[in-house]
Amino acid sequence: MKPTTIWRKSYSSSCRQLINGHGAIETLPLKSSNVPFPRGKLYASQMFDKMPQLNVVSATAVIGRHARKNQHEEVLCLFSAMFVLNLRPNEFTFGTVIHSATAVRDIDIGKEIHACAKKIGLHSNVFVGSALLDLYAKLSVIEEVQRAFDDIKIPNVVSYTSLISGYLKMERIQDALQVFDEMPERNIVSWNAMIGGLSQKGHNEDAVHLFIDMLREGFLPTQSTFPSAICAAANIASLGIGRSFHACAVKFLGKLDVFVNNSLISFYAKCGSMEDSLVIFNKLVERNIVSWNAVLCGYAQNGRGKEAIGFYERMSSAGVKPNGVTLLSLLWACNHAGLVDEGYSYFNQARLDNPNMLKPEHYACLVDLLSRSGQFRRAEEFIRDLPFDPGIGFWKALLGGCQIHSNVELGELAAQRILALDPGDVSSYVMMSNAHSAAGKWQSVSTLRREMKEKGMKRVPGCSWIEIRSKVNVFVTGDRNHHQKDEIYSAMRFFVEHLKESEDFNLLSDS
């Protein structure tokens, strides 16, 4: 057999020369802007030269074998070689090769393969079309996602699910819900995609309700379903709903995998039930770094800094190597508990042992730690010595500390920096107004509020909620809409009066 040569030309010329006037297949050169194929030309030649009986089925089998081994560069070169040998790819060839283009995240190669499928007339095939949908969805080209879907003659459940995933990734929630409602049939993967997407994009109540709807329609959840549903319950701090999801997981799955257990650890921690979180962690036979970080983050969220440090030492003794999330959780725990020296020590230790671990969020957390404790000089020096330009988060951390300690002068500097980076930031106006109020500078408060009004800025009211008997009660600042508002305010007055009579309240007032 004559040795194969891989030709590479431009995308436009490959489309023009793909099929000549007599219907014979010509060269499809693939040109990658991101992925060099140094071994591809020679390798493709050797692979096909060794095959005694070369046809589209055997070539596709070779391509599939390389794809399963994640050898995606070789897959793309072998695909290009098929055209040199006048082998017409079928729908299975395209499905495999499009997956490889997705894996190397090269949109240009993906578009070339799409053009090739269109020339041959296979773009409307449901197998090829679904692969193209997945490509464009994962590489965030939503216009092409819709176009690829419209090209499919008879879309199936995979096609619809890929379209939904694309919409969810681009945060087009209503479009995703509409497609989901219009699906002629659904499977558990469709439900998982919808529940997971809503949870990831912050639509937690919708994700919880959708999970319940799924159970009502008789679909059995899998190990992949529960992490998203439990995470959604955690984000709305619904302990009752989350417990029922936990029971549901035990009922349907029996043995829970590490991903479900990790989501449960995080869920109980976020709901303030660290004891339940630790019970699950301690029973885990298979643990990974996410398991340890979930507990550490839980201690941080609940202001239990000393226990977080103790747990970190336990983690180190177990030989588990920390990552960036570990350090961030540890710094956060020290921050919430006011453990300044400990937090500074852990940061410096990471800076010496593993400087590549440090990201801007770690530096920002340390600025917040110093600012909250009133150590403004150290915070300023730390910001000045940063190895990069401080972003808005750093100045907000500093401004937050200034608000707590009524440092109006430094707070104004921080607010100016914030507004220079984001002129429409409402929170910096509110924080500065609070700092002026604490300092008794009412004229400055009035000026800031007037400026906010002139710019059309509206303060987003604070919100909190509590779950009682599996019902979530939501409150905003100054809320008087709750049906038990009279009893609530009566109880608050009782507690305030009781607090005023205590010795601790008098000490706080004197200070």
Side-chain angles (χ1 to χ4, degrees):
M1 182 181 289
K2 184 179 178 181
T4 304
T5 302
I6 309 300
W7 294 358
R8 294 184 181 277
K9 296 181 182 179
S10 68
Y11 161 64
S12 57
S13 68
S14 70
C15 286
R16 285 197 301 271
Q17 297 182 10
L18 181 60
I19 298 179
N20 64 23
H22 299 89
I25 301 176
E26 296 188 357
T27 315
L28 177 74
L30 292 180
K31 178 182 177 183
S32 170
S33 59
N34 300 324
V35 184
F37 303 144
R39 308 183 311 277
K41 179 185 293 189
L42 178 62
Y43 187 80
S45 174
Q46 291 174 342
M47 283 300 300
F48 283 153
D49 286 346
K50 289 179 181 177
M51 297 181 66
Q53 196 172 22
L54 183 61
N55 54 37
V56 65
V57 176
S58 58
T60 300
V62 171
I63 288 173
R65 187 163 62 248
H66 284 77
R68 287 190 293 274
K69 294 178 181 178
N70 294 320
Q71 296 171 342
H72 301 295
E73 296 177 4
E74 285 80 358
V75 166
L76 295 169
C77 285
L78 287 165
F79 178 70
S80 188
M82 287 182 67
F83 287 86
V84 179
L85 299 171
N86 205 34
L87 293 174
R88 185 188 185 96
N90 61 23
E91 62 267 32
F92 303 110
T93 320
F94 277 109
T96 304
V97 175
I98 292 166
H99 169 70
S100 290
T102 306
V104 298
R105 302 193 66 79
D106 194 318
I107 191 63
D108 293 327
I109 281 185
K111 286 183 175 180
E112 289 183 37
I113 297 170
H114 187 178
C116 171
K118 207 163 193 174
K119 280 281 185 179
I120 292 177
L122 288 175
H123 65 295
S124 60
N125 177 275
V126 67
F127 190 74
V128 178
S130 297
L132 287 167
L133 274 168
D134 185 61
L135 165 81
Y136 291 127
K138 286 181 177 174
L139 300 187
S140 303
V141 189
I142 193 62
E143 296 79 10
E144 295 294 341
V145 171
Q146 185 63 60
R147 192 173 294 121
F149 180 82
D150 292 338
D151 285 342
I152 300 174
K153 286 183 179 178
I154 308 174
N156 61 11
V157 66
V158 177
S159 316
Y160 279 100
T161 303
S162 297
L163 181 59
I164 288 168
S165 298
Y167 279 137
L168 289 170
K169 188 169 184 180
M170 302 300 292
E171 298 193 39
R172 291 172 58 171
I173 306 299
Q174 291 305 316
D175 289 330
L177 286 168
Q178 182 177 344
V179 173
F180 185 76
D181 289 338
E182 293 173 354
M183 287 180 72
E185 63 171 321
R186 300 170 186 157
N187 61 15
I188 189 61
V189 179
S190 315
W191 286 96
N192 287 352
M194 200 69 218
I195 293 166
L198 290 172
S199 177
Q200 289 169 13
K201 296 304 178 182
H203 294 255
N204 297 294
E205 290 188 17
D206 292 332
V208 167
H209 291 148
L210 203 63
F211 177 79
I212 296 169
D213 289 342
M214 184 191 76
L215 296 177
R216 286 173 177 162
E217 291 196 19
F219 286 89
L220 297 180
T222 64
Q223 298 277 8
S224 302
T225 315
F226 282 101
S228 297
I230 293 168
C231 179
N235 289 336
I236 59 175
S238 181
L239 186 60
I241 290 175
R243 283 190 191 279
S244 67
F245 287 179
H246 185 178
C248 190
V250 173
K251 176 182 176 181
F252 286 114
L253 305 178
K255 184 179 179 181
L256 309 183
D257 67 14
V258 67
F259 302 105
V260 177
N261 276 311
N262 286 345
S263 65
L264 287 168
I265 291 169
S266 181
F267 160 73
Y268 283 116
K270 283 185 177 180
C271 291
S273 184
M274 281 305 300
E275 290 70 23
D276 289 326
S277 183
L278 284 168
V279 166
I280 295 172
F281 177 84
N282 290 329
K283 286 182 178 178
L284 263 181
V285 177
E286 179 190 357
R287 295 172 185 157
N288 56 21
I289 186 62
V290 178
S291 314
W292 292 89
N293 286 346
V295 176
L296 198 59
C297 184
Y299 278 129
Q301 287 173 322
N302 290 281
R304 295 162 69 166
K306 291 286 187 182
E307 289 163 286
I309 290 173
F311 188 78
Y312 175 73
E313 299 299 332
R314 175 185 168 186
M315 175 180 168
S316 301
S317 301
V320 181
K321 189 177 180 181
N323 61 14
V325 177
T326 314
L327 178 61
L328 191 64
S329 299
L330 193 59
L331 293 175
W332 191 16
C334 293
N335 191 344
H336 284 193
L339 303 173
V340 182
D341 294 335
E342 290 86 345
Y344 210 88
S345 174
Y346 284 120
F347 181 87
N348 285 330
Q349 182 182 335
R351 186 154 50 180
L352 292 172
D353 296 343
N354 191 0
N356 293 329
M357 182 194 294
L358 296 176
K359 298 291 185 288
E361 52 264 30
H362 298 106
Y363 289 90
C365 193
L366 200 64
V367 171
D368 193 39
L369 173 65
L370 295 171
S371 301
R372 283 177 179 273
S373 63
Q375 299 186 31
F376 295 112
R377 182 173 295 178
R378 288 177 73 183
E380 282 187 275
E381 290 173 357
F382 187 80
I383 291 176
R384 191 166 54 247
D385 295 337
L386 284 173
F388 50 84
D389 291 332
I392 194 169
F394 290 85
W395 298 111
K396 280 193 172 185
L398 188 62
L399 180 56
C402 292
Q403 178 188 347
I404 293 169
H405 297 279
S406 300
N407 188 332
V408 177
E409 184 179 348
L410 184 59
E412 287 181 339
L413 171 65
Q416 288 171 9
R417 296 295 180 92
I418 294 168
L419 293 173
L421 293 168
D422 183 8
D425 186 77
V426 179
S427 62
S428 52
Y429 278 94
V430 174
M431 292 166 79
M432 270 311 301
S433 175
N434 292 339
H436 283 304
S437 298
K441 296 187 175 183
W442 303 111
Q443 185 61 41
S444 300
V445 172
S446 178
T447 302
L448 281 169
R449 289 181 177 174
R450 184 170 60 252
E451 190 174 341
M452 286 179 66
K453 189 174 182 179
E454 289 172 355
K455 291 183 177 181
M457 294 179 170
K458 291 185 178 181
R459 177 176 179 175
V460 179
C463 176
S464 62
W465 58 89
I466 185 172
E467 183 184 5
I468 301 173
R469 295 175 184 171
S470 299
K471 183 178 180 181
V472 177
N473 296 267
V474 182
F475 302 91
V476 296
T477 305
D479 194 352
R480 291 190 174 273
N481 294 323
H482 196 275
H483 67 282
Q484 290 181 293
K485 63 181 183 298
D486 295 334
E487 295 95 320
I488 292 170
Y489 281 102
S490 176
M492 284 182 63
R493 282 193 294 271
F494 171 79
F495 288 129
V496 170
E497 292 300 324
H498 183 70
L499 185 62
K500 286 180 179 179
E501 295 172 2
S502 70
E503 185 178 344
D504 291 339
F505 183 85
N506 294 328
L507 289 172
L508 286 170
S509 300
D510 293 339
S511 63

Coordinates of all heavy atoms in Angstrom, one line a residue, residues 19 48 55 78-80 84 89 134 161 170 217 247 263 293 324 354 365 380 401 419-420 433 441:
I19 N -15.7 17.5 -1.8 CA -16.4 16.7 -2.7 C -16.4 17.4 -4.1 O -16.8 18.5 -4.2 CB -17.8 16.4 -2.3 CG1 -17.8 15.6 -1.0 CG2 -18.6 15.6 -3.4 CD1 -19.2 15.3 -0.5
F48 N -2.4 3.0 9.2 CA -3.2 2.6 8.0 C -2.4 1.7 7.1 O -3.0 0.8 6.5 CB -3.8 3.7 7.3 CG -5.0 4.4 7.9 CD1 -5.2 5.7 7.7 CD2 -5.8 3.7 8.8 CE1 -6.3 6.3 8.4 CE2 -6.9 4.2 9.4 CZ -7.2 5.6 9.2
N55 N -11.0 -0.3 5.1 CA -12.2 0.3 4.7 C -12.8 1.2 5.8 O -12.1 1.4 6.8 CB -13.2 -0.8 4.3 CG -13.4 -1.8 5.4 OD1 -13.5 -1.4 6.6 ND2 -13.6 -3.1 5.1
L78 N -5.8 10.6 12.0 CA -6.3 9.5 11.3 C -7.5 9.8 10.5 O -7.7 9.3 9.4 CB -6.6 8.4 12.3 CG -5.4 7.6 12.9 CD1 -5.9 6.8 14.2 CD2 -4.8 6.7 11.9
F79 N -8.4 10.7 11.1 CA -9.6 11.1 10.3 C -9.2 11.9 9.1 O -9.7 11.6 8.0 CB -10.4 12.0 11.2 CG -11.6 12.6 10.6 CD1 -12.7 11.8 10.3 CD2 -11.7 13.9 10.3 CE1 -13.9 12.3 9.7 CE2 -12.9 14.5 9.7 CZ -13.9 13.6 9.4
S80 N -8.2 12.7 9.2 CA -7.7 13.5 8.0 C -7.1 12.5 7.0 O -7.4 12.7 5.7 CB -6.7 14.5 8.4 OG -6.3 15.4 7.4
V84 N -7.5 11.3 2.4 CA -6.4 11.1 1.4 C -6.6 9.7 0.7 O -6.3 9.5 -0.5 CB -5.0 11.2 2.1 CG1 -3.9 10.9 1.1 CG2 -4.9 12.5 2.8
P89 N -16.2 8.8 5.5 CA -16.6 8.6 6.9 C -18.1 8.3 7.0 O -18.9 8.9 6.2 CB -16.2 9.9 7.6 CG -15.3 10.6 6.7 CD -15.7 10.2 5.3
D134 N -23.2 18.6 21.5 CA -22.3 18.5 22.7 C -21.1 19.3 22.5 O -20.6 20.0 23.5 CB -22.0 17.0 22.9 CG -21.2 16.8 24.2 OD1 -21.7 17.1 25.3 OD2 -20.0 16.3 24.1
T161 N -31.2 16.7 25.4 CA -30.4 16.9 26.6 C -29.2 17.8 26.3 O -28.9 18.7 27.1 CB -30.0 15.6 27.2 OG1 -31.2 14.8 27.4 CG2 -29.2 15.7 28.5
M170 N -25.1 28.7 29.3 CA -25.1 30.1 29.0 C -26.1 30.9 29.8 O -26.4 32.0 29.5 CB -25.4 30.2 27.5 CG -24.5 29.6 26.5 SD -22.8 30.2 26.7 CE -23.0 31.8 26.0
E217 N -42.8 11.4 39.0 CA -43.0 10.8 37.7 C -42.5 9.4 37.6 O -42.5 8.8 36.5 CB -42.4 11.7 36.6 CG -43.2 13.0 36.5 CD -42.9 13.7 35.2 OE1 -42.4 13.1 34.2 OE2 -43.1 15.0 35.1
A247 N -32.3 10.3 53.2 CA -33.0 9.1 53.4 C -33.4 8.4 52.0 O -33.3 7.2 51.8 CB -34.3 9.3 54.1
S263 N -21.2 15.4 49.3 CA -22.3 16.4 49.2 C -23.1 16.4 50.5 O -23.5 17.5 51.0 CB -23.2 16.1 48.0 OG -23.9 14.9 48.2
N293 N -11.9 18.7 52.9 CA -12.2 20.2 52.7 C -13.6 20.5 53.1 O -13.9 21.6 53.6 CB -11.9 20.6 51.2 CG -10.5 20.7 50.9 OD1 -9.6 20.7 51.8 ND2 -10.1 20.7 49.6
G324 N -5.5 24.3 47.3 CA -5.9 25.7 47.5 C -7.2 25.9 48.3 O -7.3 26.9 49.1
N354 N 4.7 26.0 49.3 CA 4.0 25.8 48.0 C 3.5 27.1 47.5 O 2.3 27.3 47.5 CB 2.9 24.8 48.1 CG 2.4 24.3 46.8 OD1 2.9 24.7 45.7 ND2 1.4 23.4 46.8
C365 N -8.4 37.0 51.4 CA -8.8 36.5 52.7 C -8.0 37.0 53.8 O -8.4 37.3 54.9 CB -8.9 35.0 52.7 SG -9.8 34.2 54.0
E380 N -2.7 47.5 54.9 CA -2.2 48.4 53.9 C -0.8 47.9 53.3 O -0.6 47.9 52.1 CB -2.1 49.8 54.4 CG -3.4 50.5 54.6 CD -3.2 52.0 54.9 OE1 -3.1 52.3 56.1 OE2 -3.2 52.8 54.0
G401 N -13.6 46.1 57.0 CA -12.9 46.3 58.3 C -13.1 47.7 58.7 O -13.2 47.9 59.9
L419 N -14.9 52.3 43.6 CA -15.8 53.0 42.6 C -15.0 53.3 41.3 O -15.6 53.4 40.2 CB -16.3 54.3 43.2 CG -17.3 54.0 44.4 CD1 -17.7 55.4 45.0 CD2 -18.6 53.3 43.9
A420 N -13.7 53.4 41.4 CA -12.9 53.6 40.2 C -12.9 52.3 39.4 O -12.9 52.4 38.1 CB -11.4 53.9 40.6
S433 N -21.6 54.6 54.1 CA -22.7 55.3 54.8 C -22.7 54.8 56.2 O -22.9 55.5 57.2 CB -24.0 55.1 54.1 OG -25.1 55.6 54.8
K441 N -21.1 61.1 61.6 CA -20.9 62.1 60.6 C -22.2 62.1 59.7 O -22.2 61.6 58.6 CB -19.7 61.9 59.7 CG -18.4 62.0 60.6 CD -17.2 61.9 59.7 CE -15.9 62.1 60.4 NZ -14.7 62.1 59.6

